[in-house]
Amino acid sequence: MTTLGIDIGCISLKAALVGEADDQALFGDLLAHHPDLFQTPAQGLTLVDGAPVLVTRYRRIKGSPAEAAETLLGALLEALPDGSISGARVTGSGGRLVAPAFEASFENEFKAIARGVAALHPGTQTIFEMGGETSKFIRLETSGDALCTGIVDYQTNGDCAAGTGSFMDQQASRLLYDIEDVGGIVLGAGKAASIAGRCSVFAKSDMIHAQQKGYEPPEVLRGLCDAVMRNFKGTIAKGKVVQPPVAFIGGVAANEGAVQSLREAFGLDEGQLFIPEYHASIGAIGAALLEADVERARDAAIRALDASRLPAADFPVTEPLSMERVVLLRDMAKPFDFGGNGDVIDAYMGIDIGSVSTNLVLIDDEGDVIKEIYTKTDARPVEVVSKGLADIRDEIGARINLLGVGTTGSGRELIGELTGADIVTDEITAHKTGADHIGRRIDKRCDTIFEIGGQDSKFISLQDGIVVDFAMNEACAAGTGSFLEEQAEKLGINIIDEFAELALSSPAPVRLGERCTVFMERDVMAYQQRGARREDLVAGLAFSIATNYLNRLVRERHVGDCIFFQGGTAYNDAVAAAFSQILG
């Protein structure tokens, strides 16, 4: 009898097969002939009480848990002899959706993890688990018999992403590193930047500020690892008895830098805190073992996943997005004409250094745009601005006479010092001045500005070109561009063009509410696992960002008759459409 365990998380899918003692030859052949399907163990075929165990390779679900499970199950059924899987058990946050689709049992994650760790690493007293969306603390009561292992104490993270793998994944990506490479990079860092561990929003801002203070990316990443592990200790393991030996499992356990930070946070040495070989797949192994423990044969062998057996779901929806009331000023932009006489043109430069993007603009005496560069800051503001200046010099340096430079944005002081800027101005003034100038030129007198950048949002109310009211978001990323970007990445879509195209094609946007980014992220995952379509979720996110902005930032403030939507998020037509529909 071979049993199958599947662990479906928010980010990844893992599966394990557990056979009987006389299946060792069969499992050995499977391992030899399907190296792309199964993880190759360091010590040869893994045995639990003489029974062989095979673990599939780590797979990301790319926002489609049912589809990922169907693909993996199909590959397993093709590799195994017909009818050889006699039972299956599913665990993980996405397990309840998928289990009915191939008539499998569902198992609690804590129980599956405890069973897997006790079988593979008997004597373990404490388990730290850190996955993509969840973190767990588990204290085991060991009796020497894996079947009788009990859970003495446990804790999991609440509605906050601080201290989870997906947050670390996002931040590594912002610094242009693959999460798999972070561990080695962190180990080589000489010092750690100071990063807040309370909330992912604070941590993001701290990382940007650390970069602007001169910390190198490896030092920022080390500070991030320290912050996440301090958060784990201060929230999930707070007041708990941590009794070695401690097993650290979950996808984050592959990050050597995170492991180092965790040992330092708890004062544990290498003998006291260890990383199991199958750290990412313990839940799947435990689920397969629990199914084997039942010792009952099924009437029929496990079948391929049938999507028709997935539970139906009703979602709260809203009206489709429409661009009917949106005017795209970017369509009015025209290339600058230098003329053919070779004259040198007087020019002025503005540089806006934001947390996510950096913008360089050259204008002439009339305010016409000569040259514009919009690029990612990539947490390297000095390098990005230097490259932008070099590109401008190489392309049109001989045709312009630069008379002045102004800087704004979160990196304005640093870049202003390095470029010898004539003015270093706040973002409210810069946005107001730009919008008022453009409005006058196209005969649309702007009286309200909505600005949504990567890390922050602003509301500005104007009267006769003068700021009469303004507001900025506080320590909350709800209603900012970086959240949309991260969600798009998790859903496997490109934030540029594809996001808006998908959202505008949705006939029934899912109503996601207007809560903080962490809660929205969890809502998206929950709806996904219940079968919501990507285009409906993406359209729902566009509405959520707009609703969050209006209810959390604008509140009771006066919104005028001509709104200029500015910042990087204004490139997303779906968000502009959402604003226009909500406000009429």
Side-chain angles (χ1 to χ4, degrees):
M1 179 180 76
T2 298
T3 56
L4 170 68
I6 300 179
D7 182 1
I8 303 172
C10 294
I11 303 297
S12 63
L13 169 73
K14 292 80 64 177
L17 294 170
V18 173
E20 296 181 318
D22 56 4
D23 289 328
Q24 289 188 34
L26 168 64
F27 276 40
D29 286 343
L30 288 171
L31 194 60
H33 292 101
H34 299 279
D36 293 336
L37 181 58
F38 297 108
Q39 184 178 336
T40 305
Q43 306 299 326
L45 194 62
T46 301
L47 302 176
V48 175
D49 295 331
V53 175
L54 275 184
V55 176
T56 61
R57 293 192 177 276
Y58 180 91
R59 296 180 176 214
R60 296 210 172 208
I61 61 176
K62 301 287 188 187
S64 302
E67 184 181 326
E70 183 178 11
T71 302
L72 179 59
L73 187 57
L76 286 172
L77 291 175
E78 187 177 327
L80 289 160
D82 289 342
S84 58
I85 300 180
S86 58
R89 193 162 291 225
V90 184
T91 190
S93 56
R96 290 191 187 276
L97 168 75
V98 176
F102 58 98
E103 298 172 5
S105 307
F106 175 76
E107 189 57 74
N108 175 278
E109 291 173 71
F110 287 91
K111 190 175 177 182
I113 289 170
R115 179 69 176 93
V117 170
L120 294 176
H121 304 282
T124 300
Q125 298 286 315
T126 308
I127 301 169
F128 294 162
E129 192 254 10
M130 195 173 289
E133 294 287 321
T134 59
S135 295
K136 299 180 185 69
F137 166 91
I138 305 173
R139 266 288 308 285
L140 299 179
E141 180 182 46
T142 55
S143 62
D145 181 356
L147 290 170
C148 299
T149 298
I151 296 175
V152 179
D153 194 8
Y154 70 93
Q155 183 65 40
T156 186
N157 63 315
D159 293 321
C160 180
T164 64
S166 65
F167 171 61
M168 296 184 73
D169 206 345
Q170 291 164 4
Q171 301 320 307
S173 177
R174 290 172 75 86
L175 293 173
L176 299 184
Y177 291 109
D178 291 330
I179 189 63
E180 292 80 9
D181 300 331
V182 167
I185 293 166
V186 168
L187 292 181
K191 58 182 177 179
S194 179
I195 308 292
R198 291 172 293 165
C199 166
S200 60
V201 180
F202 296 138
K204 283 182 191 177
S205 300
D206 283 355
M207 288 172 66
I208 291 155
H209 295 151
Q211 282 269 293
Q212 291 169 349
K213 289 176 183 175
Y215 281 95
E216 293 296 320
E219 296 166 346
V220 176
L221 288 171
R222 181 173 174 183
L224 175 68
C225 288
D226 289 348
V228 169
M229 296 312 164
R230 282 198 311 272
N231 185 79
F232 182 91
K233 182 180 180 181
T235 56
I236 296 161
K238 184 179 182 180
K240 304 294 185 184
V241 176
V242 177
Q243 181 68 41
V246 180
F248 182 28
I249 66 171
V252 178
N255 184 328
E256 293 174 318
V259 174
Q260 174 183 272
S261 294
L262 188 62
R263 286 194 174 115
E264 290 174 357
F266 285 91
L268 300 171
D269 60 31
E270 292 186 14
Q272 294 172 311
L273 185 145
F274 70 96
I275 315 300
E277 181 177 10
Y278 295 118
H279 56 82
S281 306
I282 292 286
I285 295 171
L289 289 167
L290 286 167
E291 182 65 21
D293 295 341
V294 175
E295 295 182 353
R296 59 181 173 82
R298 291 179 175 267
D299 295 334
I302 293 299
R303 299 181 289 175
L305 187 144
D306 180 0
S308 67
R309 298 201 297 269
L310 290 170
D314 293 321
F315 307 111
V317 297
T318 188
E319 60 184 9
L321 291 162
S322 167
M323 292 291 287
E324 184 180 344
R325 295 189 185 91
V326 180
V327 178
L328 297 175
L329 300 189
R330 65 174 182 263
D331 290 346
M332 301 180 186
K334 298 176 182 177
F336 186 80
D337 182 13
F338 276 98
N341 55 12
D343 288 346
V344 175
I345 295 171
D346 289 342
Y348 302 84
M349 179 179 290
I351 309 175
D352 179 4
I353 309 94
S355 58
V356 173
S357 67
T358 290
N359 313 279
L360 295 89
V361 172
L362 279 172
I363 60 171
D364 66 6
D365 282 324
E366 301 298 320
D368 288 325
V369 176
I370 301 171
K371 171 74 177 175
E372 177 199 14
I373 293 177
Y374 176 91
T375 185
K376 294 277 190 179
T377 304
D378 289 332
R380 294 168 171 82
V382 176
E383 295 174 27
V384 168
V385 171
S386 296
K387 184 180 184 303
L389 293 173
D391 290 346
I392 292 171
R393 178 197 62 204
D394 295 342
E395 183 181 338
I396 57 172
R399 300 295 308 271
I400 60 171
N401 175 32
L402 191 60
L403 297 179
V405 175
T407 63
T408 190
S410 58
R412 61 184 179 271
E413 300 286 351
L414 173 67
I415 300 303
E417 184 73 26
L418 294 175
T419 57
D422 299 277
I423 61 162
V424 176
T425 191
D426 66 275
E427 295 155 86
I428 301 293
T429 303
H431 272 290
K432 178 272 296 185
T433 306
D436 188 56
H437 167 73
I438 295 294
R440 289 173 184 274
R441 298 194 64 172
I442 61 172
D443 200 26
K444 285 187 180 292
R445 195 64 188 271
C446 169
D447 56 19
T448 307
I449 297 172
F450 290 174
E451 193 272 341
I452 302 183
Q455 284 287 95
D456 51 26
S457 302
K458 303 175 194 69
F459 167 83
I460 306 171
S461 180
L462 303 177
Q463 189 173 319
D464 298 325
I466 298 170
V467 175
V468 292
D469 192 11
F470 73 91
M472 292 181 65
N473 67 320
E474 297 171 354
C476 178
T480 64
S482 63
F483 171 68
L484 273 188
E485 195 164 4
E486 288 157 5
Q487 290 308 303
E489 188 177 334
K490 284 192 175 181
L491 291 168
I493 62 176
N494 190 340
I495 189 67
I496 301 170
D497 299 330
E498 191 180 0
F499 185 105
E501 186 178 332
L502 267 178
L504 292 167
S505 73
S506 166
V510 175
R511 193 180 291 117
L512 293 170
E514 46 147 317
R515 296 177 294 164
C516 93
T517 60
V518 177
F519 297 150
M520 271 205 284
E521 187 169 328
R522 296 172 76 89
D523 286 348
V524 169
M525 291 297 174
Y527 281 122
Q528 248 189 317
Q529 288 160 359
R530 289 171 54 201
R533 300 189 312 165
R534 280 200 310 174
E535 55 265 41
D536 297 336
L537 287 171
V538 168
L541 283 168
F543 272 114
S544 267
I545 291 296
T547 308
N548 248 312
Y549 177 93
L550 293 169
N551 290 355
R552 289 173 175 270
L553 182 63
V554 179
R555 298 182 182 176
E556 301 301 319
R557 294 179 174 87
H558 173 69
V559 175
D561 300 318
C562 182
I563 305 165
F564 274 34
F565 183 21
Q566 302 176 180
T569 305
Y571 278 110
N572 192 321
D573 292 346
V575 180
F579 272 125
S580 73
Q581 281 175 248
I582 293 169
L583 294 169

